[in-house]
Amino acid sequence: MTGAGTHPDHHRISPVFLGIAAIMAVSGWGVWAGLAEVTGVAVFFFVVSGWVVSLCLHEYAHAHTALRSGDDSVAEKGYLTLNPLKYTHAVLSVVLPVVFVVLGGIGLPGGAVYIERGRIRGRWRHSLISAAGPLTNALFAALLTAPFWLDAMGDVPFAFRYALAFLAMLQVTAAILNLLPVPGLDGYGVLEPWLSPAARRQAEPFAPFGLLVVFGFLWVPQVNGVFWDAIGSVMQVLDVSELDVAYGYDYFRFWQGEPAVAVTPQP
C-alpha cells in the first residue's frame, strides 16, 4: 500500500540497489565456495557491498517511518527506492562511511535523508523516525549473527564465518554511534522532540559537527577503549568472539595478505 499522493514508481526498488545486493550475493557465494584466487578479495566485496546495503536499509527505515507518520515528500524524493544516489549527501551517506570501513574497520554513520518534520505531528512519531535507522542496523546485526547464537556454524566455511562476524560488528558500531545523544545523530533525534524549544535552539548550531566531534573523541585512548569494550560486550552477547571479528578484518584487508588461521575455527 502506498502513501497518499505518491506514485508507485516512488516505491519501486532501484536497479542501483539491486546491483549492490547482487554484488553482495555473488561475493558471499565466492567466499563460501572458496572460488576466489585470493579469498580476501571476495571478503572485501562482500563486506563493502553488505555495508552499503545496510546503509540503504538504514535510510529507508527513516523514510518509510516518516511516510507512515505523515511526510509524503520522502516518496517524491526517491528515498523509498533504496537508491543511495537519491540521498541528500551521497558522499557523506555512502562514500565516507565506506572509506572509514576500509581505513579503520569502523561502521561510521552518515547523514542522508531529509525529513520534512513540519508535516509530522506527535513527539513519539518524531522519536520513532529517528530511532528507525539504528534499530535497522541492530536487526541486521542480529540476522548476520544468527548462525552464531543458534549454534549453526558447524558446516560454515571459516572465511565466511569471519566475514559475517566483521560485517555484523560494523552494524553494531553503526547502531551504537547513531544512538549517541549528540546533535546531528539519531540518538539526539530521539530526544529532541522532548526538549524545550530553548534547548533545541542551543543545540541546533552543533548538529552539522556532531559526527566530527564523536570521531574526534574516538581518538582519545580512554574513550576509544570504552567504546571498543562496549562493542566487544555486545558481540559476546551475540556469541561472536573477538577472534572471529579480528580474522574477518584481516581477510577484509586483502592487500596486506591473507591471515594464517586454522581451517576449523575455535568455538
Side-chain angles (χ1 to χ4, degrees), residues 34-232:
L35 297 181
E37 183 177 350
V38 180
T39 306
V41 175
V43 171
F44 177 86
F45 281 104
F46 174 70
V47 170
V48 169
S49 58
W51 175 234
V52 176
V53 164
S54 75
L55 292 173
C56 295
L57 294 174
H58 175 113
E59 303 306 337
Y60 174 85
H62 284 311
H64 183 75
T65 308
L67 177 70
R68 294 299 180 185
S69 300
D71 182 10
D72 291 341
S73 71
V74 295
E76 299 171 2
K77 296 183 179 81
Y79 296 157
L80 301 178
T81 66
L82 290 164
N83 185 352
L85 302 179
K86 295 290 185 179
Y87 298 154
T88 307
H89 300 291
V91 172
L92 291 178
S93 304
V94 178
V95 177
L96 191 60
V98 168
V99 168
F100 274 95
V101 168
V102 173
L103 296 180
I106 183 171
L108 188 71
V113 298
Y114 174 71
I115 307 297
E116 296 188 14
R117 295 281 182 169
R119 296 176 178 235
I120 299 164
R121 297 291 179 266
R123 289 184 292 184
W124 282 108
R125 288 180 177 177
H126 285 281
S127 294
L128 184 58
I129 290 169
S130 295
L135 289 178
T136 300
N137 289 113
L139 177 60
F140 199 17
L143 292 175
L144 289 170
T145 57
F148 291 86
W149 47 265
L150 290 175
D151 196 23
M153 274 294 181
D155 296 326
V156 175
F158 67 95
F160 192 80
R161 171 191 179 116
Y162 300 143
L164 280 182
F166 180 55
L167 181 56
M169 185 275 294
L170 295 178
Q171 304 307 315
V172 172
T173 61
I176 290 179
L177 287 173
N178 260 305
L179 286 173
L180 292 175
V182 176
L185 298 182
D186 291 330
Y188 175 77
V190 173
L191 296 176
E192 185 180 26
W194 307 91
L195 301 177
S196 67
R200 285 181 294 202
R201 285 194 298 270
Q202 290 177 346
E204 186 176 359
F206 299 98
F209 311 104
L211 187 57
L212 293 177
V213 171
V214 170
F215 180 67
F217 271 106
L218 287 177
W219 282 92
V220 179
Q222 294 82 355
V223 176
N224 187 273
V226 171
F227 172 74
W228 286 110
D229 285 345
I231 299 299

Side-chain angles (χ1 to χ4, degrees), residues 244-257:
D244 288 323
V245 175
Y247 279 147
Y249 187 39
D250 287 343
Y251 269 106
F252 175 78
R253 296 184 297 176
F254 67 90
W255 54 89
Q256 296 187 352

